[in-house]
Amino acid sequence: MKTRNKIVLYSLLWLGFSCTNLDEHLYDRVKDDEFGSAPNEVEALVGGAYSSLRGFRDDISNSFPTCEYVFFLNEVVSDEATIPTRGTDWFDGGQYQDAQRHQWNSDNGMILSAWRYCYAGIAKVNSIIYQIDQSGLSEDEKEPIYAELRAVRAYYYYTLLDMFGNVPVVTDFEDQGLPSNSSRAEVYAFVETELLESLPFLQDGIAYSKFTKNVGYALLARLYLNSEAFIGTPRWQDCIDMCQNISGYTLNPDFFANFATQNQTSSEIILAIPYDSDAGTVGNYLSSMTYHYLHAYTVSPTANYPWCGNGICAQPGAYSMFDDADYRKASLLAGEQINIATGSVLIMDSGEPLIYTEEIHEFTDAFQNEGVRLAKYEVLPGENWERDHDWVVIRYSEILMMQAECYVRMGAPELAAPFVSQVRSRAGMDTPALIDLDFINKELLREFAFEGRRRTDNIRFGTFFEPWWEKESTPEYRALFPIPTSVLSANTNLTQNPGY
């Protein structure tokens, strides 16, 4: 089989990624010299690029976008979430405390996990493109396959652009050299070009969990929305234009249907990462990382629910941002936790009732019940540790809110109102007469709480650099994470981001 194993191993040393993760559990590998004789072979091969989006775990990192540590990293450096130390739990070398206080360094394990998630996915896509190159397919047959793969790769590079900025752009599977950094502007241009050149060949319409034209337009809209933060050039109208190219989606009347166990039927989800525990998918266990150790008794009278780790929770102030009448407030769980079997409040080992509170009295020594918990995704009795709901990446409500924000930034808040009102009406809330950036910022938290995007919003609105709970002012260079120490050691051609 022509898989270039030596090249893979050599190239991935500086990425910090083990070659054992190149094999996917859900898709067959296909010999290059035999590939191309049947459509199912193409589907199986391209499917490897999609399965890479679920991330991986090995002896070096937990690189899961739904939980540890890619999701954790983006959330706990934002004003939305925190992972307080609770006695001896959740200290983990101080990585969460450093992230909360914006004092991380290049040895932080969460940062390495995020880097490896992206470059493992890129390596996988590059290897598949190489196999397509070697196949017997005609050039016309290859074109839409290349477009789909390039779009997936652009998603990874968008994530690197957002989190690390000045990163190597690697597209040649056979290149054995150690790459150098590209500037953030160069990475930005690469992402834009890859998406624009792929768009004509991407699939029209709606295809669940696939990189279609709609997904391509949505990713370009995200790129243009954050253009000023990324490269200093605002592109608000370009963002609006991309949003207006998206069609076929509507807001789901039930907000929480987007996060149900069977959420693949939602009319709102533009892109999701599919999970199926029966098929062996892993990494989708965020609910068990937020709830208290005894929370299973609130789900099932026999505690028929996976163990919970009592970790990530809402940062004080996030829960208070919701009006009591806001339907979305149920995204966060507060108050007394009732034992279904007895009808009484659960009692913790301390003898105190289990009541989730917004207040956290001491970040480095929090009580077990402190911190409002994530409750966005449905939980059901009898679930496995690995959940079956699909992880939502892009929803139609984001398309509406991007347009609203851009109109406000362009000085036309009256044009934002129709977009905001759709989102607010579903939540049971009126739209205020004044729509300004402060309102948009807060509404984004309410609509997208715990969806892994708050850090990017904080940076774009400038709040990332202001003091908040358990954090002093943040210097501007920390809008980017440092390149991990182990990556720099493996590749001396790389230069660390400024400030680190």
Side-chain angles (χ1 to χ4, degrees):
M1 185 181 295
K2 301 175 183 177
T3 54
R4 303 283 181 170
N5 289 330
K6 290 183 180 179
I7 297 173
V8 172
L9 179 60
Y10 183 85
S11 301
L12 294 183
L13 284 174
W14 70 268
L15 299 177
F17 178 61
S18 167
C19 66
T20 59
N21 289 288
L22 286 178
D23 289 326
E24 300 296 340
H25 296 295
L26 300 184
Y27 299 92
D28 295 329
R29 297 184 71 179
V30 181
K31 292 183 179 180
D32 298 331
D33 53 2
E34 298 176 1
F35 173 74
S37 60
N40 65 315
E41 293 177 346
V42 177
E43 183 179 354
L45 191 57
V46 174
Y50 284 100
S51 59
S52 73
L53 293 169
R54 287 189 288 269
F56 63 94
R57 175 196 290 118
D58 61 14
D59 293 338
I60 300 173
S61 70
N62 285 358
S63 293
F64 294 131
T66 55
C67 194
E68 301 167 305
Y69 292 102
V70 183
F71 177 84
F72 279 6
L73 177 61
N74 277 318
E75 284 294 311
V76 301
V77 303
S78 78
D79 64 357
E80 181 171 84
T82 186
I83 303 178
T85 305
R86 304 179 194 274
T88 58
D89 291 344
W90 294 99
F91 177 67
D92 291 8
Q95 65 178 352
Y96 308 121
Q97 294 185 13
D98 290 343
Q100 174 66 44
R101 292 167 172 164
H102 289 196
Q103 296 174 351
W104 59 77
N105 60 34
S106 58
D107 293 320
N108 190 294
M110 293 191 291
I111 294 174
L112 177 62
S113 293
W115 177 278
R116 297 180 77 234
Y117 170 71
C118 293
Y119 275 109
I122 290 166
K124 183 65 178 178
V125 172
N126 288 344
S127 73
I128 297 171
I129 290 176
Y130 171 80
Q131 288 182 275
I132 298 294
D133 287 341
Q134 307 305 308
S135 75
L137 295 172
S138 69
E139 291 305 309
D140 287 344
E141 290 172 322
K142 289 177 181 178
E143 202 69 62
I145 303 172
Y146 286 144
E148 195 172 355
L149 292 169
R150 289 173 71 186
V152 175
R153 188 173 61 189
Y155 171 77
Y156 283 119
Y157 273 111
Y158 172 85
T159 304
L160 288 166
L161 171 71
D162 179 20
M163 300 182 76
F164 296 96
N166 310 293
V167 301
V169 174
V170 182
T171 60
D172 187 351
F173 181 66
E174 295 186 277
D175 186 358
Q176 299 186 50
L178 294 176
S180 302
N181 307 69
S182 294
S183 69
R184 199 178 198 189
E186 289 170 334
V187 180
Y188 176 101
F190 174 79
V191 172
E192 181 181 26
T193 299
E194 288 290 284
L195 291 171
L196 288 174
E197 291 184 355
S198 297
L199 271 171
F201 305 98
L202 292 174
Q203 182 175 338
D204 290 312
I206 297 173
Y208 186 76
S209 78
K210 300 280 283 184
F211 276 68
T212 61
K213 280 186 171 65
N214 279 321
V215 173
Y217 287 129
L219 291 176
L220 281 167
R222 279 187 176 181
L223 182 71
Y224 297 147
L225 180 69
N226 292 288
S227 181
E228 186 172 40
F230 288 167
I231 61 170
T233 303
R235 298 185 68 175
W236 313 121
Q237 185 60 55
D238 288 335
C239 176
I240 292 171
D241 292 344
M242 292 301 106
C243 289
Q244 292 180 350
N245 285 325
I246 295 168
S247 63
Y249 298 93
T250 59
L251 291 184
N252 197 308
D254 181 359
F255 175 78
F256 288 103
N258 294 303
F259 311 100
T261 302
Q262 300 300 322
N263 58 345
Q264 71 274 11
T265 61
S266 173
S267 63
E268 184 174 343
I269 296 176
I270 297 175
L271 179 63
I273 302 174
Y275 285 86
D276 184 345
S277 61
D278 289 340
T281 58
V282 297
N284 193 19
Y285 53 87
L286 179 59
S287 294
S288 284
M289 294 290 96
T290 187
Y291 294 130
H292 186 272
Y293 316 109
L294 298 176
H295 192 86
Y297 289 98
T298 74
V299 179
S300 162
T302 59
N304 185 17
Y305 187 76
W307 174 84
C308 297
N310 201 34
I312 190 169
C313 60
Q315 186 167 279
Y319 186 67
S320 297
M321 208 170 289
F322 290 84
D323 188 282
D324 286 343
D326 194 325
Y327 184 60
R328 300 166 299 184
K329 193 169 188 175
S331 298
L332 303 176
L333 183 61
E336 295 181 340
Q337 300 307 299
I338 305 299
N339 185 327
I340 293 179
T342 66
S344 302
V345 179
L346 284 164
I347 303 299
M348 299 182 292
D349 291 342
S350 63
E352 296 295 320
L354 177 54
I355 303 173
Y356 293 140
T357 66
E358 182 170 16
E359 298 75 24
I360 299 174
H361 86 286
E362 175 56 57
F363 172 56
T364 59
D365 190 21
F367 296 146
Q368 288 187 2
N369 62 300
E370 291 183 323
V372 173
R373 307 309 164 97
L374 165 64
K376 202 161 202 174
Y377 283 91
E378 183 180 25
V379 296
L380 297 172
E383 284 188 305
N384 297 315
W385 173 264
E386 299 292 348
R387 308 298 197 268
D388 290 330
H389 60 257
D390 296 341
W391 184 257
V392 178
V393 179
I394 305 173
R395 292 192 284 120
Y396 183 61
S397 62
E398 179 181 350
I399 307 307
L400 297 174
M401 289 303 298
M402 282 197 286
Q403 292 175 87
E405 180 180 336
C406 288
Y407 279 124
V408 172
R409 290 186 182 275
M410 293 167 64
E414 69 281 358
L415 298 180
F419 301 101
V420 172
S421 64
Q422 293 182 61
V423 175
R424 295 278 291 177
S425 295
R426 178 176 63 174
M429 303 298 296
D430 294 331
T431 300
L434 174 63
I435 300 176
D436 57 14
L437 287 179
D438 181 64
F439 168 81
I440 293 288
N441 179 36
K442 292 175 180 176
E443 187 64 15
L444 291 176
L445 185 148
R446 290 185 285 258
E447 178 67 17
F448 302 106
F450 280 97
E451 293 187 43
R453 47 167 289 157
R454 186 60 182 168
R455 168 189 161 273
T456 308
D457 291 344
N458 283 154
I459 292 171
R460 189 173 67 256
F461 282 89
T463 55
F464 188 79
F465 310 102
E466 299 171 357
W468 62 50
W469 182 78
E470 283 292 327
K471 182 185 86 70
E472 298 178 355
S473 296
T474 298
E476 290 192 6
Y477 75 86
R478 286 187 178 268
L480 294 177
F481 292 115
I483 298 174
T485 298
S486 59
V487 174
L488 290 173
S489 298
N491 181 3
T492 57
N493 290 340
L494 295 180
T495 302
Q496 183 57 279
N497 279 331
Y500 297 102

